[in-house]
Amino acid sequence: MHHTFSHTTFCIRTFGCQMNKHDSERIAGMLEGLGALQVDTYDEADMVVFMTCCVREAADVRLLGQVASLKNLPLPKSSKLDHRIIAVGGCIGQRDGEKLVRELPHLDVVFGTHNLASLPRLIESAIEAGGHHVEVLDSAETFPTDLPSVREHSWAAWLPITIGCNNFCSYCIVPYVRGREKSRPLEDVIADARTYVAAGVKEITLLGQNVNSYGRDLYGEPRFADLLDEVDATGIARLRFATSHPKDLTDGVIERFGTLRSLMPALHLPVQSGSDRILEAMNRRYTRDHYLGLIEKLREACPGIALSSDIIVGFPGETEKDFEATYSLVEEVGYNQVFTFIYSKREGTPAASMVDDSPHEVIQERFDRLVDLVQEKAWQSNQVDAGKTIEVLVEGASKRDRSVLSGKSPKNQTVHARVPEGSSADELAGTFVSVKVEEARTWYLSGSVIEDEDAGRMLKSDAE
Ligand code: SAH
Ligand code: SF4
Ligand code: F3S
């Protein structure tokens, strides 16, 4: 196989959630291991791999456009192939399989979410024999851990602890394209975390569709709180996780926000709706009161914790009164960030057959009202950090100005500051700097780097 991939180039385009991003890192690891070179643009690439998402309709449409745009693009001059190989994986690959090559006849390879490791073999067959090569499996036999990966940043690592989802929220396609929840054995997760720490990784993000139920399938009970303790004990500087389902967030996990050195004071806790009637129709299995109770406990355990959420507007049957319940919940919680989505019907989910008769204009108007509130609340929540000195993990230069560095605060806010003289953003990437915040905006903080090493060590209590 080595021979097939040497002197070839590949480009990966990733859509959707961190699961896909992590899968892309693994694909890059496999292809590089076989001798192929990763490039950034389509015109430099012999092979293009699309890692797709189908959580909302917009994502489907985007894929078709991107694949079509490749049709008439010439191969790189030095290419040894006779045509550009196009492969589609991820959640659309899993959902559509064979159907995709009927819609897009110039696709060479389709693979799914359970068989990443087959990709090199499928590409090789396409290069050597031509034709379409489609392989999608119904489920993964074991937790896939033995694939190499090339991480986007050397100092940050995604660490999947579960794959799949058992929750079947009535609007959501994820359980159908990612399969049932499977946890990765605790020893394996810890072994990876140790390896990362030894390699100089500063931040680990534990990943799963619902990390709170981690371990239920392996140990008969959730062991997420234990897992947090053990990852903390590896000495990692910063620990985060995503995503958390409110019905499974335990008091033990909430407590850890107050006690674990490395666990950062930020939590993404998607509420989806503030109306009990809609929450029930969504099959979320918690109430508004339960959710608000969790927020109260989180703020007791970790005052100043940054909270973020996902909200769907326009779920089938949502009335003005239901929407007002969502609106008032957002006012009450005061999130740092909310990802807002207009409901998108997904064939095969229970919600797809519910009566859905709200006019689009009404839904759009509610959506716009909510977005305004979300921005106002985001601005407000950031104001408490104005004047504080915070520890920032530098990611690199800001997109607009190379003399400005961009990084993340403990609360996961984006922070901008001028690069100190004699240094560069690239050189500082992956290190911690102390920043005195001068201005708090809606979506970022800006300030100046404090030179004195001890002056601004971020203590847990600074989050308050
Ligand atoms: N497992 C995670 C993320 C799921 S997908 C969780 O439970 O939070 C990310 C977000 O997409 C969801 O939180 C939800 O707000 C949104 N989403 C999922 N299906 C959707 C649909 N059919 N229409 C609109 N938004 C949807
Ligand atoms: Fe979808 Fe619900 Fe599972 Fe999240 S918990 S992936 S929203 S089914
Ligand atoms: Fe999208 Fe698949 Fe993630 S549908 S949100 S990429 S699990």
Side-chain angles (χ1 to χ4, degrees), residues 15-20 52-55 91 173-174 177-178 209:
F15 304 90
C17 67
Q18 273 95 345
M19 289 293 166
N20 258 7
T52 59
C53 172
C54 54
V55 77
C91 295
I173 191 116
V174 170
V177 289
R178 291 277 167 173
Q209 297 297 346

Side-chain angles (χ1 to χ4, degrees), residues 20-87:
N20 258 7
K21 290 187 186 140
H22 180 72
D23 285 351
S24 293
E25 294 182 341
R26 291 178 170 225
I27 287 172
M30 276 192 295
L31 296 177
E32 286 193 356
L34 292 166
L37 179 72
Q38 186 166 11
V39 292
D40 292 332
T41 62
Y42 295 151
D43 55 328
E44 301 167 279
D46 292 317
M47 308 175 268
V48 177
V49 182
F50 290 99
M51 290 298 281
T52 59
C53 172
C54 54
V55 77
R56 287 171 294 275
E57 193 182 359
D60 280 51
V61 175
R62 214 176 320 151
L63 173 73
L64 299 181
Q66 297 248 346
V67 172
S69 76
L70 283 176
K71 226 173 185 169
N72 299 315
L73 189 72
L75 273 173
K77 282 207 180 68
S78 57
S79 181
K80 59 176 198 178
L81 306 189
D82 60 7
H83 71 290
R84 179 177 282 107
I85 296 291
I86 304 176

Side-chain angles (χ1 to χ4, degrees), residues 149-194:
S149 79
V150 177
R151 295 197 310 277
E152 187 185 347
H153 298 303
S154 59
W155 68 89
W158 308 114
L159 181 39
I161 61 167
T162 67
I163 53 169
C165 182
N166 289 350
N167 290 310
F168 291 94
C169 302
S170 64
Y171 50 81
C172 183
I173 191 116
V174 170
Y176 307 90
V177 289
R178 291 277 167 173
R180 291 299 69 70
E181 184 175 280
K182 283 192 186 65
S183 303
R184 195 172 165 209
L186 208 128
E187 317 74 85
D188 293 4
V189 177
I190 302 309
D192 264 10
R194 286 210 184 98

Side-chain angles (χ1 to χ4, degrees), residues 59-137:
D60 280 51
V61 175
R62 214 176 320 151
L63 173 73
L64 299 181
Q66 297 248 346
V67 172
S69 76
L70 283 176
K71 226 173 185 169
N72 299 315
L73 189 72
L75 273 173
K77 282 207 180 68
S78 57
S79 181
K80 59 176 198 178
L81 306 189
D82 60 7
H83 71 290
R84 179 177 282 107
I85 296 291
I86 304 176
V88 172
C91 295
I92 299 182
Q94 182 69 32
R95 186 192 61 186
D96 293 351
E98 283 284 346
K99 205 179 115 204
L100 264 182
V101 294
R102 290 199 293 274
E103 280 169 30
L104 298 165
H106 63 300
L107 287 186
D108 302 279
V109 170
V110 176
F111 62 109
T113 55
H114 302 302
N115 62 336
L116 292 190
S118 312
L119 179 64
R121 176 171 48 74
L122 295 168
I123 292 179
E124 187 179 37
S125 311
I127 291 176
E128 273 160 23
H132 304 307
H133 299 268
V134 178
E135 190 181 291
V136 172
L137 305 180

Side-chain angles (χ1 to χ4, degrees), residues 99-413:
K99 205 179 115 204
L100 264 182
V101 294
R102 290 199 293 274
E103 280 169 30
L104 298 165
H106 63 300
L107 287 186
D108 302 279
V109 170
V110 176
F111 62 109
T113 55
H114 302 302
N115 62 336
L116 292 190
S118 312
L119 179 64
R121 176 171 48 74
L122 295 168
I123 292 179
E124 187 179 37
S125 311
I127 291 176
E128 273 160 23
H132 304 307
H133 299 268
V134 178
E135 190 181 291
V136 172
L137 305 180
D138 284 342
S139 69
E141 256 124 63
T142 53
F143 195 101
T145 52
D146 48 358
L147 298 179
S149 79
V150 177
R151 295 197 310 277
E152 187 185 347
H153 298 303
S154 59
W155 68 89
W158 308 114
L159 181 39
I161 61 167
T162 67
I163 53 169
C165 182
N166 289 350
N167 290 310
F168 291 94
C169 302
S170 64
Y171 50 81
C172 183
I173 191 116
V174 170
Y176 307 90
V177 289
R178 291 277 167 173
R180 291 299 69 70
E181 184 175 280
K182 283 192 186 65
S183 303
R184 195 172 165 209
L186 208 128
E187 317 74 85
D188 293 4
V189 177
I190 302 309
D192 264 10
R194 286 210 184 98
T195 307
Y196 287 143
V197 171
V201 167
K202 306 284 169 50
E203 177 172 288
I204 289 178
T205 305
L206 304 175
L207 286 186
Q209 297 297 346
N210 176 16
V211 291
N212 293 305
S213 58
Y214 169 80
R216 201 176 272 156
D217 54 321
L218 290 181
Y219 309 112
E221 55 172 0
R223 302 246 339 240
F224 186 54
D226 299 341
L227 181 69
L228 289 175
D229 293 342
E230 296 205 26
V231 178
D232 180 72
T234 63
I236 188 69
R238 287 184 169 190
L239 174 59
R240 303 183 189 278
F241 57 80
T243 302
S244 253
H245 195 306
K247 80 175 161 60
D248 297 312
L249 180 64
T250 62
D251 289 346
V253 171
I254 292 174
E255 239 169 65
R256 288 341 186 251
F257 278 101
T259 57
L260 288 188
R261 173 195 54 80
S262 65
L263 188 59
M264 290 292 105
L267 176 65
H268 185 58
L269 193 64
V271 69
Q272 312 298 354
S273 169
S275 152
D276 283 342
R277 212 176 61 82
I278 295 295
L279 285 172
E280 194 175 342
M282 287 176 161
N283 191 31
R284 290 290 287 180
R285 288 174 281 168
Y286 54 83
T287 59
R288 174 196 179 94
D289 275 355
H290 178 77
Y291 185 89
L292 290 173
L294 294 175
I295 300 294
E296 204 175 299
K297 285 194 224 168
L298 281 159
R299 287 188 163 144
E300 251 162 53
C302 180
I305 188 170
L307 297 163
S308 58
S309 195
D310 293 346
I311 289 177
I312 297 176
V313 177
F315 185 82
E318 183 185 77
T319 62
E320 180 61 23
K321 194 160 163 254
D322 294 318
F323 174 74
E324 276 163 16
T326 299
Y327 192 93
S328 69
L329 182 133
V330 171
E331 268 184 319
E332 201 170 326
V333 175
Y335 292 106
N336 277 68
Q337 164 125 262
V338 180
F339 300 93
T340 47
F341 307 105
I342 288 184
Y343 169 73
S344 171
K345 180 174 170 173
R346 304 285 69 200
E347 284 316 327
T349 63
S353 51
M354 295 179 189
V355 180
D356 183 10
D357 54 6
S358 300
H360 179 73
E361 307 80 70
V362 171
I363 294 172
Q364 186 68 49
E365 189 274 329
R366 285 178 192 155
F367 182 81
D368 295 344
R369 247 193 292 162
L370 185 63
V371 168
D372 285 347
L373 177 66
V374 163
Q375 288 187 4
E376 185 189 319
K377 289 289 164 184
W379 184 85
Q380 247 172 41
S381 346
N382 277 343
Q383 296 316 305
V384 298
D385 295 307
K388 281 193 182 153
T389 298
I390 56 179
E391 190 172 63
V392 173
L393 179 53
V394 180
E395 295 183 335
S398 101
K399 281 197 193 95
R400 283 197 227 133
D401 184 351
R402 295 211 56 85
S403 67
V404 171
L405 61 82
S406 174
K408 286 284 157 58
S409 72
K411 285 157 72 174
N412 218 16
Q413 295 140 304

